[in-house]
Amino acid sequence: MRSAIALLTLAFATVGFSAPIGMQEPSNTGSLPSYSTCNRPGVFALTFDDGPFEYTWNLAHDLQAQGIKATFFTNGHNFFKTDFNTTTANTRDGPKTYMEVLQAIDALGHELASHTYEHRNLVGLTVEEVEYQMNMQSDLIFAATGKRVAFMRFPEGAMDSVSIQTVADLGYSNIEWDVDPKDYTGTSVQEQMNLVRGVVESDIANVTNGHICLQHDVHEASATDLTPAIIEYITGKGYEFVTVSDCLGIEAYRVTEGQQPVADEHQPAAGEPHQPAAGEPHQPAAGEPQQPAAGEPHQPAAGEPQAAVI
């Protein structure tokens, strides 16, 4: 995901949020709660976009071995476009399906979140297309873990009024960042670390809120070289590594294992259209094409452009 943040906040009516004590106040993206820093000083949240991929299994285990929990913003159809249940990554523990990788992230105590199903730029998409991107990815994570994610991040940081409102209606919080080492550019680890230091060194002790750092576990150098460098530097500053939910003081998942989505408790009146909950699969109307199941490759319709992979 690129670091450019296309926030159209001036174009949208604002809605006030009153956050409980210990919860970070969301930034101004209209009806969608959005966050780019933590709710208190002295903490640092590692986040990884675009996976899972070849390096994710080892990265998740390496972090866990150091007592560090991170948050992984995942796609289902991005760096590979085949079945999660059969496609494998080569890990130090042998081949692992990508469904097993998602399960391991969760079992190791890290958090899972949505980066959409196909990593599509959501600007210009219809409500139904945005719902598809969000619900397919939520279904995939639910199939792996039994949990419905509540955090998302826009591919390329790009959003418009339709995608903002649709994601908000689905019950998500948008997680942005304030530290971007630009690990996708191919620059050296030293150059990337200079970008990290450029933010953290300006902190005022016990005053400046903690940070949310953007990385991509699909880039080997980021997973194997940059991450250890960040850990060494941030540890030396005396900061604590936290998940996004800990960073913000809000829940990462809408439901616990075995429960139904919260919004399912609402039964629409006769003739009232059903509003899907966060991550609830879209139920096609009569005559509407059936969407593929979680992990099933998406077959583009005639003339439909192929989703870009970044």
Side-chain angles (χ1 to χ4, degrees):
M1 191 189 91
R2 301 295 172 89
S3 65
I5 308 176
L7 294 180
L8 306 181
T9 55
L10 295 180
F12 311 124
T14 60
V15 175
F17 292 90
S18 179
I21 295 175
M23 173 179 167
Q24 176 66 307
E25 290 281 356
S27 61
N28 182 6
T29 47
S31 60
L32 177 64
S34 298
Y35 307 87
S36 59
T37 62
C38 298
N39 65 359
R40 62 195 186 279
V43 294
F44 196 94
L46 291 172
T47 71
F48 298 92
D49 285 10
D50 293 1
F53 196 50
E54 288 287 327
Y55 321 111
T56 307
W57 175 279
N58 293 349
L59 173 63
H61 282 79
D62 289 344
L63 292 171
Q64 191 269 345
Q66 299 173 77
I68 297 172
K69 295 179 181 180
T71 304
F72 291 80
F73 290 81
T74 60
N75 301 121
H77 248 202
N78 190 5
F79 272 68
F80 66 92
K81 300 182 184 297
T82 47
D83 190 348
F84 256 62
N85 291 292
T86 58
T87 306
T88 59
N90 294 317
T91 78
R92 68 167 67 102
D93 299 311
K96 300 293 180 182
T97 68
Y98 282 106
M99 191 64 79
E100 289 177 312
V101 175
L102 287 184
Q103 292 167 343
I105 292 171
D106 178 61
L108 291 169
H110 304 297
E111 288 179 351
L112 288 163
S114 175
H115 197 37
T116 75
Y117 185 58
E118 296 170 314
H119 198 278
R120 288 190 66 181
N121 184 317
L122 300 185
V123 173
L125 299 190
T126 65
V127 169
E128 292 75 19
E129 288 171 328
V130 175
E131 287 178 343
Y132 173 83
Q133 292 297 320
M134 299 307 303
N135 290 339
M136 285 290 289
Q137 188 59 20
S138 179
D139 285 351
L140 180 62
I141 296 171
F142 185 81
T145 67
K147 298 175 181 178
R148 292 286 182 190
V149 296
F151 297 154
M152 67 83 62
R153 180 174 281 161
F154 286 88
E156 303 177 24
M159 61 193 80
D160 60 10
S161 59
V162 172
S163 58
I164 286 175
Q165 190 60 56
T166 304
V167 168
D169 289 344
L170 289 171
Y172 286 92
S173 293
N174 171 36
I175 309 303
E176 297 168 350
W177 59 91
D178 69 327
V179 176
D180 182 6
K182 301 187 185 301
D183 60 351
Y184 51 84
T185 60
T187 56
S188 69
V189 169
Q190 181 61 45
E191 291 174 289
Q192 294 168 18
M193 282 302 303
N194 286 340
L195 295 176
V196 176
R197 294 187 188 95
V199 176
V200 177
E201 290 298 326
S202 64
D203 285 359
I204 300 173
N206 301 314
V207 174
T208 306
N209 278 346
H211 304 287
I212 300 175
C213 183
L214 171 66
Q215 289 179 254
H216 301 78
D217 50 312
V218 296
H219 299 303
E220 183 175 13
S222 187
T224 62
D225 300 326
L226 177 60
T227 299
I230 291 176
I231 291 172
E232 180 180 10
Y233 168 66
I234 294 299
T235 300
K237 298 290 289 185
Y239 288 27
E240 176 189 4
F241 286 100
V242 294
T243 60
V244 167
S245 68
D246 190 348
C247 157
L248 299 176
I250 59 179
E251 294 295 327
Y253 303 104
R254 286 177 58 86
V255 294
T256 58
E257 186 171 356
Q259 289 182 314
Q260 294 299 312
V262 174
D264 277 359
E265 296 174 1
H266 169 67
Q267 299 299 321
E272 178 186 351
H274 173 66
Q275 299 298 326
E280 179 183 351
H282 171 65
Q283 299 300 324
E288 181 181 350
Q290 179 69 38
Q291 304 292 0
E296 179 183 347
H298 170 61
Q299 301 300 325
E304 178 183 351
Q306 178 68 39
V309 177
I310 298 175

